[in-house]
Amino acid sequence: MSCDLRAKERSGIINPIFTCQPCGAQYVSIGIKDCIAIVHGGQGCVMFVRMLFAQHFKDNFDIASSSLHEDSAVFGATGRVETAVDVLLARYPHVRVIPIITTCSTEIIGDDIEGVINKLNNGLLKEKYAGREVHLVPVHTPSFKGSMISGYDVAVESLVKAFAEQTTPNGKINLITGWVNPGDVTALKHLLAMMQIDATVLFEIESFDSPLMPDKSGVSHGETTVEDLKDTANAVGTIALNRYEGGKAAKYLEKKFKVPSVIGPSPIGIRNTDTFLKQLQTMSGKPIPEALVKERGIAIDAITDLAHMFFADKRVAIFGAPDLVISLAEFCIDMEMKPVLLLLGDDNSGYKKDDRIKALQANVDWDMEIIMNADLWELDDRIKNKGLKLDLIMGHSKGRWAAIDNHIPMVRVGFPTYDRAGLYRHPVVGYAGAIWLAEEIANTLFTDMEYKRNKEWLLNVW
Amino acid sequence: MITLSSVTQNSMQSPPRFLFQDLFDDTACSHIGSKDKKTTCERLQPGSCVSGCALEGAFNFLSPIQGCAHLIHSSPTCYNASRIQKKDGTEHFCTTLALNDLIFGAEEKLKMQISHIAKTYRPRVIFIYMTCVSSLIGEDIERIAKSMQQELGIWIVPVMSAGFLGVANFGVRIAGMALLKTLIGLKEPLIDTAYAINLWGYGLSETQRMSYRILFERVGMRILAFFGGDEAVEAIMGAHKAKLNVLINAKSLTPVARKFEERYGVAYVETSFFGARATCDALRVIAEQFNDGAVCRKIENMIHEKTKALQETCKAFHTLFSGKKVAILLNGLFSWAYIPLLEDFGMHVVAISIENLNEDDKEKAVDLLLGKGRFMYDPNVEFEEIVNEEPIDIVITDTDHCAIASRAHIPFFNIDRCSNPFFIGFEGEAAFATELSLTLQNPVFNIVYQNPPWQE
């Protein structure tokens, strides 16, 4: 009867859950309109990440590399950044924003990115591209610190820092979504529209799910503009849905521009969505319309149809991004499931102080483990060698082998989910997300019942 | 099967140190050693949206080898992302360097990991990969590998594949060189080596490897070791007894093959088996090397028999494909190899991506196309221009690039994700034609790439 929060004891990693910091920064960069990031490092730092994006969205995104070579490693590589910016601007006439994302190698060499940007601003941009609006933004994401989650956090903060400037109040709300899918953004914007709230969504990635239009338009790229980013300083308030993905930027805006901020919880499940709507209500002063109460009712109806009959006492393991994992655990508890193992892929000193984890520790009445800095071997090892019994695994596609090898049903959530079709289209946030999650979990369990011939007759009479 | 105990300490002599010079000490590529270009082929310009690094190449070349552990000395991404291409969920390892390791050195961490892997998993060989980070902080993994090898009695192979050294192509070369310096020649093969050959390939799927095996078995040759394939470590150790090295679309491995020749006197041939024409050529080149009546007869018989059969099966495809315009949008290292295959069906190759090819392969592509066609360095940008100028009927593509094709409203055939990708030899040509015709005739392309009826 305990909930144990601790770091993994073994050194080294076997099958990591997360990718490193530049990956998060690159995810942020593709959310901005007319923006192509330059990753200052080896080519692999871009290629692997682009490959992940291409697998997840089945669509590809432009990210450039400064293609570091061994001579640069010896003599410094700032020259390659200069060439890269030049080549990029010449090739892509629409580019306005170029975040320069550092990697482990260039951070170790100690390339002075701010210096190069200064030099470029005064030299190349003035001479060769005079009259063209180009913003170069330094993003420091060495991969020996943190993970892709902290990389996302750092990049949002860097971009907001670079652009935000106070002019006239605009009465909008900043909504920092954190690392979500296009489907989530659609669901969040739906909630905002129902409450008639004007908001700046960071980042507007709905268009990652791009249509094939007759006129061949429709490139998958984010829609957040430079103006949106500048305007963040003039908002009524900031809501950062995920504490570890965008929380830093919200705090920065509060400190620098006195924009009040609310951080978390991620609106996954009924309770958290209720909290989110109440936050919106307090911040904007607008009422929550009856239509949303109806939507909430539909979601609750969908869940109650399933909860005690199929979900009760099911033992779940969840891995992935900290905010997602914790919120999913809360959602599972609401449905009488028992999350027995939570794996957080990185080691953040903030986890120990997190209220949500503290609440879990106070309320859980079964044995539950929360492992920080975990890898997928922690999950595999527990199932194979330590006798952990699981009824369900929730997490992203990299953990699929733990599910396949051990014959445990798995629900794919998070990033990346490349082994199921179109998951980026479905939300996990809001009431729509609660319905999708509950039904996805139920259907996965149903398929498993049929496959294993385990009380599959139950569904005859359900 | 080798167990830890059967490995005697005497056989564990440490390999010679890795010298960067070895990789360029070669005359196989006409651009290497020429005065004006210093030592390498043309390198990628910064600022383009490009493909993988040396680590990717090295890891993908070595990872199919059976019974080995792979330890990547880096932060998690280098490894995390490179393993997505792996077929199964086998565990591989990463040291996960953190800030303190960079300051104080990560030798202890690496040693701990090696002994943990050796004791828990008992692999026959542990490959340790150098990455950008570990090479910049100056980790001497060769020395560590040497000392751990003596301590644990297990082969430990350092692979000096720092990502900034070059593209994936170069990583393959580094990995090949590492094998040549360490494992090859350690054991005598147990099988008869009269007609034994080694195959060297890169990025081959299991079905592809299988069809190579079948092809060579049929002409009475024995594959001693399949580099870049799912070969047992023992086979690789005995590879020096082969009579011939056959490089399959593996330009990057020619320096390795040359070193192999210098050291063990095994000649090498460069071949391609994409399509019937290339296969015939390749088989004849191999027959020439053996200079053996029996082998020649078998090969000629097979070519005769297969070509006849193929003509029958492919008749229908010729009419369907002839005159069609095709573009090749492949990230891979042998995009040029598809040209003869496509031209055999009477298709015209209008554009080809050459972003990852070295100079000799680029020339090969130019030669094959007789100077016609467009060559793309950055398909993200250039492909759209080409499509605007010239209508294209179908695009051969991979996962990285298929979105470009679909955006341009052209039927595309994704080589990576096709259900049965064994386009090798004679059967391969028929299989390729079948897949291509299925794409070309797929009714979905009629719907999606046409305007809605009310807009016509």
Side-chain angles (χ1 to χ4, degrees), chain B residues 109-383:
Chain B
K109 211 170 186 177
L110 182 61
K111 281 185 173 170
M112 240 161 74
Q113 277 273 306
I114 294 173
S115 39
H116 171 76
I117 293 169
K119 277 166 196 155
T120 339
Y121 296 90
R122 304 195 156 246
R124 301 175 212 184
V125 179
I126 301 178
F127 290 100
I128 312 173
Y129 295 82
M130 187 82 122
T131 59
C132 296
V133 203
S134 42
S135 91
L136 279 171
I137 60 172
E139 290 285 292
D140 190 355
I141 65 167
E142 285 184 309
R143 183 178 50 79
I144 298 170
K146 196 171 137 189
S147 68
M148 292 305 280
Q149 178 161 311
Q150 271 156 6
E151 191 185 319
L152 296 167
I154 183 174
W155 280 291
I156 297 178
V157 180
V159 184
M160 313 302 274
S161 52
F164 53 71
L165 290 179
V167 287
N169 224 334
F170 198 69
V172 178
R173 183 181 299 178
I174 293 171
M177 219 50 123
L179 282 183
L180 186 62
K181 287 203 163 172
T182 52
L183 295 183
I184 294 171
L186 281 180
K187 288 189 84 184
E188 293 303 308
L190 297 171
I191 56 168
D192 175 28
T193 57
Y195 292 103
I197 55 169
N198 292 331
L199 291 184
W200 297 73
Y202 169 71
L204 304 171
S205 68
E206 196 184 15
T207 31
Q208 282 174 323
R209 296 195 287 253
M210 203 34 132
S211 30
Y212 279 120
R213 282 179 199 279
I214 293 168
L215 184 73
F216 283 104
E217 297 277 308
R218 266 193 208 147
V219 293
M221 283 176 205
R222 195 154 231 190
I223 296 173
L224 199 54
F226 199 146
F227 292 92
D230 51 343
E231 199 59 84
V233 179
E234 288 78 54
I236 282 173
M237 288 174 178
H240 61 295
K241 285 289 169 175
K243 294 288 175 289
L244 186 69
N245 278 323
V246 179
L247 308 188
I248 307 161
N249 298 336
K251 185 74 199 167
S252 46
L253 286 166
T254 23
V256 183
R258 285 184 64 82
K259 279 263 175 261
F260 204 114
E261 189 172 4
E262 272 171 34
R263 193 171 291 178
Y264 302 109
V266 182
Y268 72 94
V269 288
E270 290 180 53
T271 57
S272 163
F273 287 86
F274 278 70
R277 182 148 56 108
T279 309
C280 291
D281 292 349
L283 286 174
R284 284 187 178 125
V285 169
I286 293 167
E288 205 175 291
Q289 286 288 331
F290 269 96
N291 202 10
D292 184 316
V295 173
C296 286
R297 235 186 347 269
K298 270 186 187 165
I299 285 178
E300 284 305 326
N301 280 345
M302 185 165 120
I303 289 175
H304 181 72
E305 184 190 318
K306 292 281 178 184
T307 329
K308 216 169 159 189
L310 195 65
Q311 270 168 355
E312 303 257 310
T313 30
C314 289
K315 224 178 257 168
F317 295 125
H318 275 282
T319 43
L320 179 67
F321 291 155
S322 98
K324 288 272 190 296
K325 285 179 176 167
V326 55
I328 301 172
L329 267 188
L330 291 171
N331 200 349
L333 308 176
F334 36 86
S335 49
W336 56 270
Y338 289 89
I339 298 173
L341 181 56
L342 293 164
E343 289 194 333
D344 278 354
F345 286 110
M347 300 174 98
H348 301 297
V349 179
V350 187
I352 177 168
S353 64
I354 51 169
E355 55 193 80
N356 255 3
L357 301 185
N358 61 21
E359 295 296 312
D360 272 13
D361 281 351
K362 277 176 200 163
E363 271 168 29
K364 214 176 271 175
V366 175
D367 286 349
L368 282 168
L369 286 176
L370 304 168
K372 288 179 294 186
R374 297 273 293 265
F375 300 91
M376 295 176 283
Y377 279 95
D378 190 352
N380 288 311
V381 189
E382 288 164 48
F383 188 66

Side-chain angles (χ1 to χ4, degrees), chain A residues 107-419:
Chain A
E107 287 286 334
I108 297 174
I109 300 169
D111 275 348
D112 178 12
I113 301 299
E114 277 81 3
V116 185
I117 289 177
N118 219 346
K119 190 178 164 198
L120 283 168
N121 279 336
N122 294 323
L124 182 82
L125 296 186
K126 267 193 185 151
E127 288 154 17
K128 199 171 169 189
Y129 300 100
R132 187 168 158 186
E133 183 201 355
V134 179
H135 305 276
L136 305 175
V137 185
V139 181
H140 291 278
T141 49
S143 58
F144 42 77
K145 269 169 73 184
S147 67
M148 66 187 194
I149 300 301
S150 59
Y152 189 96
D153 209 15
V154 167
V156 179
E157 196 198 7
S158 306
L159 281 157
V160 168
K161 243 184 203 168
F163 288 109
E165 54 183 33
Q166 209 148 27
T167 44
T168 48
N170 60 11
K172 284 186 177 181
I173 288 178
N174 297 328
L175 184 69
I176 302 178
T177 59
W179 194 313
V180 291
N181 279 326
D184 295 319
V185 176
T186 314
L188 290 169
K189 281 171 79 175
H190 168 71
L191 293 180
L192 291 170
M194 296 293 275
M195 287 188 67
Q196 296 173 335
I197 290 175
D198 201 5
T200 312
V201 180
L202 296 181
F203 288 86
E204 191 79 79
I205 56 167
E206 230 181 331
S207 54
F208 283 3
D209 187 8
S210 67
L212 276 176
M213 296 302 283
D215 62 349
K216 299 186 186 176
S217 66
V219 175
S220 305
H221 225 277
E223 292 291 337
T224 299
T225 57
V226 176
E227 287 71 32
D228 289 341
L229 283 166
K230 281 183 183 163
D231 231 11
T232 48
N234 304 320
V236 191
T238 309
I239 300 180
L241 297 183
N242 291 354
R243 173 171 303 193
Y244 305 104
E245 300 155 18
K248 260 188 192 163
K251 275 183 203 145
Y252 168 79
L253 284 172
E254 183 166 34
K255 212 170 154 197
K256 183 83 191 280
F257 301 108
K258 307 278 182 300
V259 180
S261 69
V262 182
I263 296 174
S266 335
I268 295 173
I270 306 288
R271 263 194 302 157
N272 286 337
T273 310
D274 292 347
T275 319
F276 172 59
L277 290 181
K278 269 196 286 183
Q279 286 166 356
L280 282 177
Q281 191 186 24
T282 357
M283 205 169 263
S284 67
K286 286 183 179 159
I288 299 172
E290 195 58 28
L292 279 181
V293 182
K294 198 177 159 198
E295 267 182 39
R296 184 175 184 270
I298 294 173
I300 291 175
D301 182 43
I303 290 174
T304 45
D305 285 346
L306 297 163
H308 80 277
M309 278 193 285
F310 298 104
F311 290 161
D313 281 349
K314 289 273 186 282
R315 297 161 63 82
V316 195
I318 312 173
F319 63 87
D323 286 295
L324 181 73
V325 169
I326 297 168
S327 313
L328 282 177
E330 288 169 349
F331 178 64
C332 287
I333 291 173
D334 280 352
M335 295 194 301
E336 221 185 334
M337 297 166 95
K338 286 185 176 167
V340 287
L341 179 65
L342 306 186
L343 299 175
L344 310 175
D346 59 356
D347 196 359
N348 190 325
S349 54
Y351 295 155
K352 284 207 173 88
K353 297 173 208 145
D354 197 312
D355 310 333
R356 294 170 294 176
I357 291 183
K358 276 185 186 161
L360 283 179
Q361 283 174 321
N363 299 329
V364 162
D365 59 353
W366 58 89
D367 283 333
M368 176 173 172
E369 280 180 299
I370 308 176
I371 313 284
M372 296 186 292
N373 207 7
D375 54 14
L376 289 168
W377 178 242
E378 291 285 316
L379 175 63
D380 231 13
D381 184 41
R382 276 183 175 71
I383 301 170
K384 277 183 188 147
N385 308 327
K386 297 188 179 145
L388 177 71
K389 290 271 175 292
L390 286 177
D391 299 304
L392 184 72
I393 296 176
M394 292 174 93
H396 56 68
S397 296
K398 282 188 178 158
R400 67 195 296 255
W401 293 102
I404 295 172
D405 291 349
N406 304 305
H407 308 288
I408 297 170
M410 175 172 171
V411 171
R412 273 82 171 161
V413 280
F415 176 91
T417 49
Y418 45 76
D419 63 337

Side-chain angles (χ1 to χ4, degrees), chain A residues 11 13 20 65 91 144 213, chain B residues 47 77 94 102 113 378 400 409:
Chain A
S11 91
I13 273 194
C20 63
S65 165
R91 269 197 198 157
F144 42 77
M213 296 302 283
Chain B
T77 307
C94 177
L102 305 191
Q113 277 273 306
D378 190 352
D400 268 16
H409 291 205

